[in-house]
Amino acid sequence: PTQKQQNKKKNIKKMTTADRVVDAIKALKPGPRGASRAAIKNWMLANGTKDSPMLNTTLRKAISKGMKEGWLNEGATPQRFRLVPSKTPSALKTAAAKKRRAAARKAATAKKRAASKKRKAAAAKKKKAAAAKKKKAAAAKKK
């Protein structure tokens, strides 16, 4: 095996079954008919996934999850599956991450604004106190 293939096998462990299903369907290029569950499983086994008693279960769960979340559609038959390009799991993850980052940014700017308002209020209070002190000192000099 080449270095690239070895690295790919190492990365397989980090990928979820859903990600592997997406990769399998992309690699199989099934066209409008879709890729069968058996073909997806065979591709996964050929590309670094270890065969285990849980493989069929996790594969079925990943496929049903994909159908529910909308990134998989039925193909020509209920046993075949096609990808919905704009809704792949990785695309959904990046969209969710973008929303979280935007919310965090919004919270941070709100926090900065609040801190800025506090600082301005404190500065204004200091100025007022200094002005009152000056007036008091001036009044005391006049007496």
PDB file of all heavy atoms in Angstrom, residues 11-44:
ATOM      1  N   ASN A  11      -7.286   7.581   8.778  1.00  0.00           N
ATOM      2  CA  ASN A  11      -8.367   8.553   8.898  1.00  0.00           C
ATOM      3  C   ASN A  11      -9.739   7.896   8.970  1.00  0.00           C
ATOM      4  O   ASN A  11     -10.684   8.509   9.424  1.00  0.00           O
ATOM      5  CB  ASN A  11      -8.335   9.549   7.727  1.00  0.00           C
ATOM      6  CG  ASN A  11      -7.162  10.483   7.842  1.00  0.00           C
ATOM      7  OD1 ASN A  11      -6.638  10.699   8.921  1.00  0.00           O
ATOM      8  ND2 ASN A  11      -6.726  11.035   6.726  1.00  0.00           N
ATOM      9  N   ILE A  12      -9.862   6.666   8.505  1.00  0.00           N
ATOM     10  CA  ILE A  12     -11.132   5.949   8.537  1.00  0.00           C
ATOM     11  C   ILE A  12     -11.651   5.887   9.975  1.00  0.00           C
ATOM     12  O   ILE A  12     -12.833   6.019  10.218  1.00  0.00           O
ATOM     13  CB  ILE A  12     -10.980   4.508   7.964  1.00  0.00           C
ATOM     14  CG1 ILE A  12     -10.749   4.550   6.476  1.00  0.00           C
ATOM     15  CG2 ILE A  12     -12.160   3.630   8.302  1.00  0.00           C
ATOM     16  CD1 ILE A  12     -11.952   4.789   5.621  1.00  0.00           C
ATOM     17  N   LYS A  13     -10.766   5.696  10.941  1.00  0.00           N
ATOM     18  CA  LYS A  13     -11.170   5.586  12.334  1.00  0.00           C
ATOM     19  C   LYS A  13     -11.861   6.867  12.811  1.00  0.00           C
ATOM     20  O   LYS A  13     -12.736   6.818  13.646  1.00  0.00           O
ATOM     21  CB  LYS A  13      -9.964   5.287  13.216  1.00  0.00           C
ATOM     22  CG  LYS A  13      -9.386   3.909  12.990  1.00  0.00           C
ATOM     23  CD  LYS A  13      -8.166   3.693  13.841  1.00  0.00           C
ATOM     24  CE  LYS A  13      -7.531   2.355  13.511  1.00  0.00           C
ATOM     25  NZ  LYS A  13      -6.251   2.171  14.193  1.00  0.00           N
ATOM     26  N   LYS A  14     -11.448   7.993  12.297  1.00  0.00           N
ATOM     27  CA  LYS A  14     -11.996   9.267  12.732  1.00  0.00           C
ATOM     28  C   LYS A  14     -13.342   9.563  12.082  1.00  0.00           C
ATOM     29  O   LYS A  14     -14.114  10.362  12.581  1.00  0.00           O
ATOM     30  CB  LYS A  14     -11.023  10.401  12.393  1.00  0.00           C
ATOM     31  CG  LYS A  14      -9.716  10.295  13.129  1.00  0.00           C
ATOM     32  CD  LYS A  14      -8.757  11.371  12.674  1.00  0.00           C
ATOM     33  CE  LYS A  14      -7.395  11.157  13.273  1.00  0.00           C
ATOM     34  NZ  LYS A  14      -6.410  12.077  12.751  1.00  0.00           N
ATOM     35  N   MET A  15     -13.623   8.907  10.957  1.00  0.00           N
ATOM     36  CA  MET A  15     -14.850   9.182  10.222  1.00  0.00           C
ATOM     37  C   MET A  15     -16.032   8.444  10.845  1.00  0.00           C
ATOM     38  O   MET A  15     -15.899   7.325  11.317  1.00  0.00           O
ATOM     39  CB  MET A  15     -14.695   8.744   8.760  1.00  0.00           C
ATOM     40  CG  MET A  15     -13.679   9.542   7.992  1.00  0.00           C
ATOM     41  SD  MET A  15     -13.411   8.887   6.346  1.00  0.00           S
ATOM     42  CE  MET A  15     -14.976   9.168   5.589  1.00  0.00           C
ATOM     43  N   THR A  16     -17.184   9.064  10.812  1.00  0.00           N
ATOM     44  CA  THR A  16     -18.390   8.395  11.277  1.00  0.00           C
ATOM     45  C   THR A  16     -18.894   7.485  10.167  1.00  0.00           C
ATOM     46  O   THR A  16     -18.482   7.609   9.005  1.00  0.00           O
ATOM     47  CB  THR A  16     -19.480   9.417  11.624  1.00  0.00           C
ATOM     48  OG1 THR A  16     -19.846  10.109  10.430  1.00  0.00           O
ATOM     49  CG2 THR A  16     -19.013  10.402  12.683  1.00  0.00           C
ATOM     50  N   THR A  17     -19.803   6.606  10.514  1.00  0.00           N
ATOM     51  CA  THR A  17     -20.376   5.714   9.506  1.00  0.00           C
ATOM     52  C   THR A  17     -21.110   6.534   8.455  1.00  0.00           C
ATOM     53  O   THR A  17     -21.067   6.221   7.271  1.00  0.00           O
ATOM     54  CB  THR A  17     -21.330   4.695  10.171  1.00  0.00           C
ATOM     55  OG1 THR A  17     -20.615   4.026  11.213  1.00  0.00           O
ATOM     56  CG2 THR A  17     -21.811   3.669   9.179  1.00  0.00           C
ATOM     57  N   ALA A  18     -21.768   7.603   8.887  1.00  0.00           N
ATOM     58  CA  ALA A  18     -22.488   8.456   7.941  1.00  0.00           C
ATOM     59  C   ALA A  18     -21.524   9.049   6.914  1.00  0.00           C
ATOM     60  O   ALA A  18     -21.829   9.086   5.715  1.00  0.00           O
ATOM     61  CB  ALA A  18     -23.220   9.567   8.681  1.00  0.00           C
ATOM     62  N   ASP A  19     -20.357   9.504   7.377  1.00  0.00           N
ATOM     63  CA  ASP A  19     -19.362  10.054   6.455  1.00  0.00           C
ATOM     64  C   ASP A  19     -18.877   8.990   5.479  1.00  0.00           C
ATOM     65  O   ASP A  19     -18.666   9.258   4.301  1.00  0.00           O
ATOM     66  CB  ASP A  19     -18.164  10.622   7.226  1.00  0.00           C
ATOM     67  CG  ASP A  19     -18.524  11.869   8.018  1.00  0.00           C
ATOM     68  OD1 ASP A  19     -19.456  12.569   7.606  1.00  0.00           O
ATOM     69  OD2 ASP A  19     -17.872  12.119   9.047  1.00  0.00           O
ATOM     70  N   ARG A  20     -18.699   7.764   5.982  1.00  0.00           N
ATOM     71  CA  ARG A  20     -18.258   6.681   5.114  1.00  0.00           C
ATOM     72  C   ARG A  20     -19.323   6.306   4.096  1.00  0.00           C
ATOM     73  O   ARG A  20     -19.019   5.976   2.954  1.00  0.00           O
ATOM     74  CB  ARG A  20     -17.836   5.466   5.938  1.00  0.00           C
ATOM     75  CG  ARG A  20     -16.475   5.699   6.584  1.00  0.00           C
ATOM     76  CD  ARG A  20     -16.040   4.519   7.359  1.00  0.00           C
ATOM     77  NE  ARG A  20     -16.499   4.767   8.740  1.00  0.00           N
ATOM     78  CZ  ARG A  20     -16.499   3.885   9.696  1.00  0.00           C
ATOM     79  NH1 ARG A  20     -16.101   2.665   9.472  1.00  0.00           N
ATOM     80  NH2 ARG A  20     -16.900   4.196  10.896  1.00  0.00           N
ATOM     81  N   VAL A  21     -20.590   6.383   4.496  1.00  0.00           N
ATOM     82  CA  VAL A  21     -21.693   6.114   3.560  1.00  0.00           C
ATOM     83  C   VAL A  21     -21.661   7.141   2.432  1.00  0.00           C
ATOM     84  O   VAL A  21     -21.781   6.801   1.248  1.00  0.00           O
ATOM     85  CB  VAL A  21     -23.067   6.128   4.283  1.00  0.00           C
ATOM     86  CG1 VAL A  21     -24.214   6.167   3.289  1.00  0.00           C
ATOM     87  CG2 VAL A  21     -23.194   4.926   5.194  1.00  0.00           C
ATOM     88  N   VAL A  22     -21.459   8.397   2.794  1.00  0.00           N
ATOM     89  CA  VAL A  22     -21.388   9.461   1.787  1.00  0.00           C
ATOM     90  C   VAL A  22     -20.223   9.209   0.830  1.00  0.00           C
ATOM     91  O   VAL A  22     -20.384   9.291  -0.395  1.00  0.00           O
ATOM     92  CB  VAL A  22     -21.245  10.851   2.460  1.00  0.00           C
ATOM     93  CG1 VAL A  22     -20.922  11.923   1.447  1.00  0.00           C
ATOM     94  CG2 VAL A  22     -22.512  11.196   3.210  1.00  0.00           C
ATOM     95  N   ASP A  23     -19.051   8.885   1.397  1.00  0.00           N
ATOM     96  CA  ASP A  23     -17.888   8.601   0.552  1.00  0.00           C
ATOM     97  C   ASP A  23     -18.147   7.422  -0.369  1.00  0.00           C
ATOM     98  O   ASP A  23     -17.764   7.432  -1.541  1.00  0.00           O
ATOM     99  CB  ASP A  23     -16.651   8.320   1.412  1.00  0.00           C
ATOM    100  CG  ASP A  23     -16.098   9.570   2.070  1.00  0.00           C
ATOM    101  OD1 ASP A  23     -16.545  10.686   1.696  1.00  0.00           O
ATOM    102  OD2 ASP A  23     -15.236   9.443   2.959  1.00  0.00           O
ATOM    103  N   ALA A  24     -18.794   6.396   0.171  1.00  0.00           N
ATOM    104  CA  ALA A  24     -19.076   5.201  -0.629  1.00  0.00           C
ATOM    105  C   ALA A  24     -19.994   5.531  -1.801  1.00  0.00           C
ATOM    106  O   ALA A  24     -19.733   5.127  -2.941  1.00  0.00           O
ATOM    107  CB  ALA A  24     -19.713   4.126   0.245  1.00  0.00           C
ATOM    108  N   ILE A  25     -21.044   6.279  -1.538  1.00  0.00           N
ATOM    109  CA  ILE A  25     -21.991   6.615  -2.610  1.00  0.00           C
ATOM    110  C   ILE A  25     -21.311   7.481  -3.662  1.00  0.00           C
ATOM    111  O   ILE A  25     -21.506   7.288  -4.861  1.00  0.00           O
ATOM    112  CB  ILE A  25     -23.260   7.289  -2.035  1.00  0.00           C
ATOM    113  CG1 ILE A  25     -24.027   6.278  -1.178  1.00  0.00           C
ATOM    114  CG2 ILE A  25     -24.153   7.805  -3.156  1.00  0.00           C
ATOM    115  CD1 ILE A  25     -25.205   6.850  -0.436  1.00  0.00           C
ATOM    116  N   LYS A  26     -20.474   8.424  -3.206  1.00  0.00           N
ATOM    117  CA  LYS A  26     -19.747   9.262  -4.169  1.00  0.00           C
ATOM    118  C   LYS A  26     -18.809   8.417  -5.025  1.00  0.00           C
ATOM    119  O   LYS A  26     -18.698   8.615  -6.233  1.00  0.00           O
ATOM    120  CB  LYS A  26     -18.932  10.334  -3.434  1.00  0.00           C
ATOM    121  CG  LYS A  26     -19.758  11.482  -2.920  1.00  0.00           C
ATOM    122  CD  LYS A  26     -18.869  12.476  -2.191  1.00  0.00           C
ATOM    123  CE  LYS A  26     -19.667  13.627  -1.626  1.00  0.00           C
ATOM    124  NZ  LYS A  26     -18.824  14.534  -0.834  1.00  0.00           N
ATOM    125  N   ALA A  27     -18.120   7.472  -4.388  1.00  0.00           N
ATOM    126  CA  ALA A  27     -17.153   6.645  -5.108  1.00  0.00           C
ATOM    127  C   ALA A  27     -17.833   5.671  -6.063  1.00  0.00           C
ATOM    128  O   ALA A  27     -17.318   5.389  -7.151  1.00  0.00           O
ATOM    129  CB  ALA A  27     -16.295   5.879  -4.122  1.00  0.00           C
ATOM    130  N   LEU A  28     -18.994   5.169  -5.669  1.00  0.00           N
ATOM    131  CA  LEU A  28     -19.704   4.198  -6.511  1.00  0.00           C
ATOM    132  C   LEU A  28     -20.336   4.850  -7.744  1.00  0.00           C
ATOM    133  O   LEU A  28     -20.607   4.171  -8.728  1.00  0.00           O
ATOM    134  CB  LEU A  28     -20.776   3.468  -5.696  1.00  0.00           C
ATOM    135  CG  LEU A  28     -20.240   2.532  -4.620  1.00  0.00           C
ATOM    136  CD1 LEU A  28     -21.372   2.082  -3.709  1.00  0.00           C
ATOM    137  CD2 LEU A  28     -19.545   1.336  -5.232  1.00  0.00           C
ATOM    138  N   LYS A  29     -20.572   6.155  -7.676  1.00  0.00           N
ATOM    139  CA  LYS A  29     -21.194   6.904  -8.779  1.00  0.00           C
ATOM    140  C   LYS A  29     -22.404   6.150  -9.349  1.00  0.00           C
ATOM    141  O   LYS A  29     -22.417   5.755 -10.512  1.00  0.00           O
ATOM    142  CB  LYS A  29     -20.182   7.169  -9.891  1.00  0.00           C
ATOM    143  CG  LYS A  29     -19.024   8.015  -9.432  1.00  0.00           C
ATOM    144  CD  LYS A  29     -18.012   8.208 -10.526  1.00  0.00           C
ATOM    145  CE  LYS A  29     -16.825   8.951  -9.980  1.00  0.00           C
ATOM    146  NZ  LYS A  29     -15.681   8.927 -10.856  1.00  0.00           N
ATOM    147  N   PRO A  30     -23.435   5.974  -8.531  1.00  0.00           N
ATOM    148  CA  PRO A  30     -24.547   5.130  -8.938  1.00  0.00           C
ATOM    149  C   PRO A  30     -25.503   5.740  -9.956  1.00  0.00           C
ATOM    150  O   PRO A  30     -26.310   5.035 -10.539  1.00  0.00           O
ATOM    151  CB  PRO A  30     -25.284   4.887  -7.622  1.00  0.00           C
ATOM    152  CG  PRO A  30     -25.007   6.116  -6.826  1.00  0.00           C
ATOM    153  CD  PRO A  30     -23.613   6.528  -7.208  1.00  0.00           C
ATOM    154  N   GLY A  31     -25.415   7.028 -10.175  1.00  0.00           N
ATOM    155  CA  GLY A  31     -26.339   7.660 -11.112  1.00  0.00           C
ATOM    156  C   GLY A  31     -27.719   7.793 -10.497  1.00  0.00           C
ATOM    157  O   GLY A  31     -27.882   7.753  -9.286  1.00  0.00           O
ATOM    158  N   PRO A  32     -28.746   7.916 -11.339  1.00  0.00           N
ATOM    159  CA  PRO A  32     -30.087   8.162 -10.817  1.00  0.00           C
ATOM    160  C   PRO A  32     -30.699   6.972 -10.079  1.00  0.00           C
ATOM    161  O   PRO A  32     -31.618   7.126  -9.300  1.00  0.00           O
ATOM    162  CB  PRO A  32     -30.910   8.501 -12.063  1.00  0.00           C
ATOM    163  CG  PRO A  32     -30.151   7.914 -13.198  1.00  0.00           C
ATOM    164  CD  PRO A  32     -28.712   7.925 -12.799  1.00  0.00           C
ATOM    165  N   ARG A  33     -30.170   5.766 -10.315  1.00  0.00           N
ATOM    166  CA  ARG A  33     -30.736   4.588  -9.657  1.00  0.00           C
ATOM    167  C   ARG A  33     -30.393   4.553  -8.180  1.00  0.00           C
ATOM    168  O   ARG A  33     -31.157   4.059  -7.369  1.00  0.00           O
ATOM    169  CB  ARG A  33     -30.226   3.311 -10.329  1.00  0.00           C
ATOM    170  CG  ARG A  33     -30.771   3.147 -11.741  1.00  0.00           C
ATOM    171  CD  ARG A  33     -30.354   1.848 -12.354  1.00  0.00           C
ATOM    172  NE  ARG A  33     -30.865   0.737 -11.559  1.00  0.00           N
ATOM    173  CZ  ARG A  33     -30.327  -0.463 -11.530  1.00  0.00           C
ATOM    174  NH1 ARG A  33     -29.254  -0.723 -12.242  1.00  0.00           N
ATOM    175  NH2 ARG A  33     -30.843  -1.412 -10.801  1.00  0.00           N
ATOM    176  N   GLY A  34     -29.226   5.043  -7.804  1.00  0.00           N
ATOM    177  CA  GLY A  34     -28.793   5.016  -6.414  1.00  0.00           C
ATOM    178  C   GLY A  34     -27.912   3.815  -6.135  1.00  0.00           C
ATOM    179  O   GLY A  34     -27.815   2.890  -6.935  1.00  0.00           O
ATOM    180  N   ALA A  35     -27.275   3.808  -4.987  1.00  0.00           N
ATOM    181  CA  ALA A  35     -26.385   2.716  -4.584  1.00  0.00           C
ATOM    182  C   ALA A  35     -27.100   1.842  -3.557  1.00  0.00           C
ATOM    183  O   ALA A  35     -27.763   2.352  -2.655  1.00  0.00           O
ATOM    184  CB  ALA A  35     -25.110   3.273  -3.972  1.00  0.00           C
ATOM    185  N   SER A  36     -26.942   0.545  -3.688  1.00  0.00           N
ATOM    186  CA  SER A  36     -27.600  -0.367  -2.752  1.00  0.00           C
ATOM    187  C   SER A  36     -26.823  -0.435  -1.443  1.00  0.00           C
ATOM    188  O   SER A  36     -25.634  -0.121  -1.392  1.00  0.00           O
ATOM    189  CB  SER A  36     -27.715  -1.760  -3.355  1.00  0.00           C
ATOM    190  OG  SER A  36     -26.427  -2.323  -3.480  1.00  0.00           O
ATOM    191  N   ARG A  37     -27.516  -0.873  -0.404  1.00  0.00           N
ATOM    192  CA  ARG A  37     -26.875  -1.000   0.898  1.00  0.00           C
ATOM    193  C   ARG A  37     -25.727  -2.006   0.827  1.00  0.00           C
ATOM    194  O   ARG A  37     -24.658  -1.794   1.388  1.00  0.00           O
ATOM    195  CB  ARG A  37     -27.898  -1.439   1.949  1.00  0.00           C
ATOM    196  CG  ARG A  37     -27.363  -1.376   3.363  1.00  0.00           C
ATOM    197  CD  ARG A  37     -28.253  -2.070   4.357  1.00  0.00           C
ATOM    198  NE  ARG A  37     -28.424  -3.483   4.054  1.00  0.00           N
ATOM    199  CZ  ARG A  37     -27.515  -4.427   4.308  1.00  0.00           C
ATOM    200  NH1 ARG A  37     -26.361  -4.091   4.853  1.00  0.00           N
ATOM    201  NH2 ARG A  37     -27.743  -5.675   4.014  1.00  0.00           N
ATOM    202  N   ALA A  38     -25.934  -3.094   0.093  1.00  0.00           N
ATOM    203  CA  ALA A  38     -24.891  -4.111  -0.047  1.00  0.00           C
ATOM    204  C   ALA A  38     -23.660  -3.539  -0.757  1.00  0.00           C
ATOM    205  O   ALA A  38     -22.524  -3.802  -0.349  1.00  0.00           O
ATOM    206  CB  ALA A  38     -25.427  -5.311  -0.815  1.00  0.00           C
ATOM    207  N   ALA A  39     -23.880  -2.732  -1.788  1.00  0.00           N
ATOM    208  CA  ALA A  39     -22.762  -2.131  -2.514  1.00  0.00           C
ATOM    209  C   ALA A  39     -22.011  -1.153  -1.611  1.00  0.00           C
ATOM    210  O   ALA A  39     -20.770  -1.095  -1.632  1.00  0.00           O
ATOM    211  CB  ALA A  39     -23.260  -1.417  -3.763  1.00  0.00           C
ATOM    212  N   ILE A  40     -22.754  -0.406  -0.816  1.00  0.00           N
ATOM    213  CA  ILE A  40     -22.130   0.541   0.120  1.00  0.00           C
ATOM    214  C   ILE A  40     -21.282  -0.230   1.127  1.00  0.00           C
ATOM    215  O   ILE A  40     -20.131   0.122   1.400  1.00  0.00           O
ATOM    216  CB  ILE A  40     -23.200   1.395   0.835  1.00  0.00           C
ATOM    217  CG1 ILE A  40     -23.910   2.305  -0.169  1.00  0.00           C
ATOM    218  CG2 ILE A  40     -22.586   2.217   1.962  1.00  0.00           C
ATOM    219  CD1 ILE A  40     -25.145   2.982   0.367  1.00  0.00           C
ATOM    220  N   LYS A  41     -21.832  -1.316   1.662  1.00  0.00           N
ATOM    221  CA  LYS A  41     -21.098  -2.131   2.637  1.00  0.00           C
ATOM    222  C   LYS A  41     -19.833  -2.709   2.008  1.00  0.00           C
ATOM    223  O   LYS A  41     -18.756  -2.655   2.607  1.00  0.00           O
ATOM    224  CB  LYS A  41     -21.984  -3.259   3.154  1.00  0.00           C
ATOM    225  CG  LYS A  41     -21.280  -4.142   4.165  1.00  0.00           C
ATOM    226  CD  LYS A  41     -22.125  -5.312   4.576  1.00  0.00           C
ATOM    227  CE  LYS A  41     -21.320  -6.241   5.467  1.00  0.00           C
ATOM    228  NZ  LYS A  41     -22.020  -7.490   5.733  1.00  0.00           N
ATOM    229  N   ASN A  42     -19.947  -3.250   0.794  1.00  0.00           N
ATOM    230  CA  ASN A  42     -18.776  -3.823   0.125  1.00  0.00           C
ATOM    231  C   ASN A  42     -17.702  -2.773  -0.105  1.00  0.00           C
ATOM    232  O   ASN A  42     -16.509  -3.034   0.061  1.00  0.00           O
ATOM    233  CB  ASN A  42     -19.178  -4.487  -1.198  1.00  0.00           C
ATOM    234  CG  ASN A  42     -19.957  -5.761  -0.974  1.00  0.00           C
ATOM    235  OD1 ASN A  42     -19.834  -6.393   0.078  1.00  0.00           O
ATOM    236  ND2 ASN A  42     -20.768  -6.139  -1.933  1.00  0.00           N
ATOM    237  N   TRP A  43     -18.102  -1.562  -0.489  1.00  0.00           N
ATOM    238  CA  TRP A  43     -17.134  -0.485  -0.701  1.00  0.00           C
ATOM    239  C   TRP A  43     -16.435  -0.146   0.618  1.00  0.00           C
ATOM    240  O   TRP A  43     -15.219   0.039   0.657  1.00  0.00           O
ATOM    241  CB  TRP A  43     -17.815   0.760  -1.268  1.00  0.00           C
ATOM    242  CG  TRP A  43     -16.837   1.843  -1.582  1.00  0.00           C
ATOM    243  CD1 TRP A  43     -16.197   2.056  -2.758  1.00  0.00           C
ATOM    244  CD2 TRP A  43     -16.350   2.848  -0.679  1.00  0.00           C
ATOM    245  NE1 TRP A  43     -15.343   3.120  -2.651  1.00  0.00           N
ATOM    246  CE2 TRP A  43     -15.419   3.629  -1.389  1.00  0.00           C
ATOM    247  CE3 TRP A  43     -16.609   3.166   0.645  1.00  0.00           C
ATOM    248  CZ2 TRP A  43     -14.750   4.700  -0.807  1.00  0.00           C
ATOM    249  CZ3 TRP A  43     -15.935   4.232   1.224  1.00  0.00           C
ATOM    250  CH2 TRP A  43     -15.014   4.991   0.487  1.00  0.00           C
ATOM    251  N   MET A  44     -17.227  -0.066   1.696  1.00  0.00           N
ATOM    252  CA  MET A  44     -16.652   0.256   3.004  1.00  0.00           C
ATOM    253  C   MET A  44     -15.639  -0.806   3.427  1.00  0.00           C
ATOM    254  O   MET A  44     -14.557  -0.477   3.931  1.00  0.00           O
ATOM    255  CB  MET A  44     -17.758   0.401   4.052  1.00  0.00           C
ATOM    256  CG  MET A  44     -18.586   1.662   3.878  1.00  0.00           C
ATOM    257  SD  MET A  44     -20.062   1.719   4.891  1.00  0.00           S
ATOM    258  CE  MET A  44     -19.389   1.737   6.530  1.00  0.00           C
TER     259      MET A  44
END
